[in-house]
Amino acid sequence: MLFNRIKGQRGALTILRKAVTEDIPSHSYLFMGPDGVGKFTTALYFGMALNCLDDDPHSRPCGKCSSCKKMLSFSHPDFIYLFPTPNYEISPTGEIKDAKNLSEYESYLKNKKVSPWRYFYFQGNTAIRLDCIRMLQHRINLSFIEARYKVVVIEKADYLNVHAANAFLKTLEEPPENVVIILTSSRNESMLSTIISRCQKVNFNRINLQTIEDELFFYGVEDAAQIKMIARIANGNMEKALNTWEAQSSETRAKMRELLDIIIQGDDLSFLKYAEHYKTSKSLNELSEVLHYLIVWLGDVVFFLESPEEIINIDMTAELDKVAANNPYLTDMCPELIVFLETMLKRLEGNVNPHLVIIEVYNHLKPCIRGRI
Ligand SMILES: [Zn+2]
């Protein structure tokens, strides 16, 4: 019974459980509430519950039957998931031709499946565009493949641009039989009122302090003082709590800090010593983690001046101060650097020698992060 894994949203779950046990879901729902409180996960579990094969409706979603498993891995043919992306030019049948775009799209989905709380940084402005809605309309009108309900989740529905929102409205007005559409949004004030009024609203709350503390403990944080501090910083946002913990907890992160210091100092000699560690293929996974932390840190650089409350690496503001003072252009370069690091991560997945990768990373990042000192 996976609904039990959703914490602090009793009101929303009461509505959804009833729809599942009585088998009378609405055509469309709008899950409204702050970021990081479980709207997407609840939408996914709700879709799973509607199609779950467990005999007892109160046990749905079981998470174990073939239907649940396919939904969990995003491979169910009757599950359609839309979210804001850069302009990918998706065909009505859902193909993305450009290889770089496709690879970014797949990285996003992988991240969402494996560690959904982790932030993902796209290159370029994101929106839900007309091509996405065309794909949706094409897919919901196809005959059913195996499910009782076709489930559509549109995450961050406030990112529907004007053309897409107008086209989508037609689908909402005349939805095909047995299609359940779930929109999620933390900024429903910027959505078309005609869309909002056609959906059943389900409210999600900020998660209370105690629940976040309990969840951090569940995820393996043992230090009581650390739990309290992170829960306070997170301010009701579970996603932020997990990101903050992950950023603070690991030894690999210490390796990232060491690398960053060397880059900021421009200390080539120390780098050569540092890179020695990555001469064995055993170090490949560790280097992947280091690059992941670097990506999160570059995300912090972007937030540092505009919205410092979003920063994940709160204990590293001294480094942020230093690079912001040395290089005012770094913020603009971050999206490109993040894409570069994603490419390096891909190469590591392909078993490239980690020593070569770390040298390339150093040579690429040093001039960008240090600026022209
Ligand atoms: Zn199931």
Side-chain angles (χ1 to χ4, degrees):
M1 178 44 167
L2 284 176
F3 276 144
N4 293 339
R5 283 293 308 127
I6 293 163
K7 304 293 175 190
Q9 308 298 350
R10 194 179 292 174
L13 288 182
T14 305
I15 296 170
L16 301 175
R17 280 193 165 118
K18 189 162 180 280
V20 170
T21 48
E22 294 178 1
D23 203 19
I24 39 156
S26 299
H27 280 306
S28 48
Y29 293 87
L30 171 59
F31 289 7
M32 308 188 296
D35 286 328
V37 299
K39 296 189 294 299
F40 173 78
T41 308
T42 309
L44 180 66
Y45 288 179
F46 180 52
M48 283 162 65
L50 292 173
N51 286 317
C52 178
L53 305 173
D54 195 293
D55 291 334
D56 178 6
H58 295 92
S59 305
R60 298 176 191 160
C62 71
K64 294 175 196 142
C65 70
S66 62
S67 171
C68 281
K69 279 188 182 158
K70 279 185 195 166
M71 289 276 285
L72 272 177
S73 63
F74 297 0
S75 60
H76 199 299
D78 295 312
F79 171 55
I80 305 162
Y81 171 37
L82 306 186
F83 51 91
T85 64
N87 195 353
Y88 284 165
E89 295 175 13
I90 302 173
S91 80
T93 48
E95 285 147 350
I96 299 172
K97 289 228 167 65
D98 183 273
K100 214 168 127 199
N101 288 345
L102 180 62
S103 145
E104 188 179 54
Y105 180 82
E106 285 172 346
S107 301
Y108 173 88
L109 287 181
K110 188 177 162 210
N111 183 66
K112 195 81 187 170
K113 275 184 275 187
V114 178
S115 36
W117 65 86
R118 275 190 188 168
Y119 296 130
F120 188 90
Y121 304 95
F122 285 106
Q123 187 184 30
N125 290 334
T126 56
I128 302 173
R129 297 179 174 79
L130 192 55
D131 53 356
C132 251
I133 298 302
R134 294 252 158 85
M135 186 258 284
L136 167 69
Q137 288 166 339
H138 172 79
R139 287 189 59 190
I140 54 174
N141 286 311
L142 293 175
S143 53
F144 277 67
I145 299 179
E146 50 192 62
R148 277 178 297 183
Y149 293 97
K150 251 183 223 218
V151 175
V152 179
V153 175
I154 306 187
E155 197 177 18
K156 298 191 178 176
D158 45 282
Y159 277 73
L160 279 158
N161 71 16
V162 183
H163 303 297
N166 282 321
F168 175 61
L169 198 52
K170 295 204 179 68
T171 305
L172 264 188
E173 281 164 355
E174 292 163 25
E177 276 290 286
N178 293 338
V179 170
V180 176
I181 299 174
I182 307 155
L183 311 179
T184 76
S185 174
S186 56
R187 301 185 310 155
N188 47 296
E189 67 281 358
S190 45
M191 286 169 64
L192 288 182
S193 58
T194 38
I195 289 186
I196 297 178
S197 66
R198 290 190 181 274
C199 299
Q200 180 178 351
K201 280 119 207 135
V202 181
N203 284 308
F204 283 71
N205 311 311
R206 236 170 245 294
I207 301 175
N208 72 41
L209 206 59
Q210 185 61 50
T211 307
I212 292 199
E213 288 180 6
D214 294 347
E215 279 294 279
L216 286 168
F217 186 73
F218 174 83
Y219 273 90
V221 192
E222 283 168 0
D223 179 342
Q226 193 188 20
I227 287 181
K228 283 214 171 327
M229 186 187 74
I230 295 173
R232 268 167 190 72
I233 293 166
N235 189 25
N237 180 335
M238 195 60 221
E239 206 171 270
K240 184 163 184 193
L242 289 170
N243 273 295
T244 309
W245 166 55
E246 202 175 58
Q248 286 184 3
S249 60
S250 116
E251 281 172 33
T252 321
R253 181 170 174 266
K255 294 297 284 183
M256 181 279 274
R257 286 190 81 162
E258 193 184 339
L259 175 62
L260 200 57
D261 278 341
I262 293 173
I263 290 174
I264 293 172
Q265 305 292 333
D267 185 348
D268 294 345
L269 215 58
S270 297
F271 172 72
L272 289 178
K273 257 193 241 153
Y274 178 91
E276 285 290 304
H277 178 70
Y278 294 102
K279 277 197 165 157
T280 65
S281 56
K282 266 199 307 197
S283 62
L284 196 139
N285 287 339
E286 185 189 298
L287 184 57
S288 293
E289 283 291 301
V290 167
L291 298 192
H292 172 74
Y293 284 124
L294 265 180
I295 289 173
V296 175
W297 183 80
L298 286 167
D300 281 353
V301 173
V302 175
F303 285 126
F304 183 55
L305 297 176
E306 299 276 313
S307 42
E309 71 282 358
E310 300 284 340
I311 286 175
I312 303 293
N313 296 286
I314 43 169
D315 55 339
M316 291 177 68
T317 47
E319 284 94 334
L320 289 168
D321 257 333
K322 207 183 262 178
V323 295
N326 284 348
N327 183 4
Y329 302 110
L330 180 59
T331 311
D332 298 335
M333 295 158 92
C334 281
E336 190 210 310
L337 293 179
I338 289 170
V339 171
F340 164 76
L341 290 173
E342 300 273 8
T343 316
M344 293 295 113
L345 282 171
K346 278 253 145 57
R347 285 179 51 187
L348 286 172
E349 274 174 28
N351 267 325
V352 167
N353 181 345
H355 190 243
L356 294 178
V357 171
I358 188 68
I359 291 173
E360 196 169 338
V361 166
Y362 181 71
N363 288 335
H364 193 95
L365 293 191
K366 191 175 86 164
C368 301
I369 290 180
R370 269 171 68 77
R372 304 192 183 281
I373 301 169

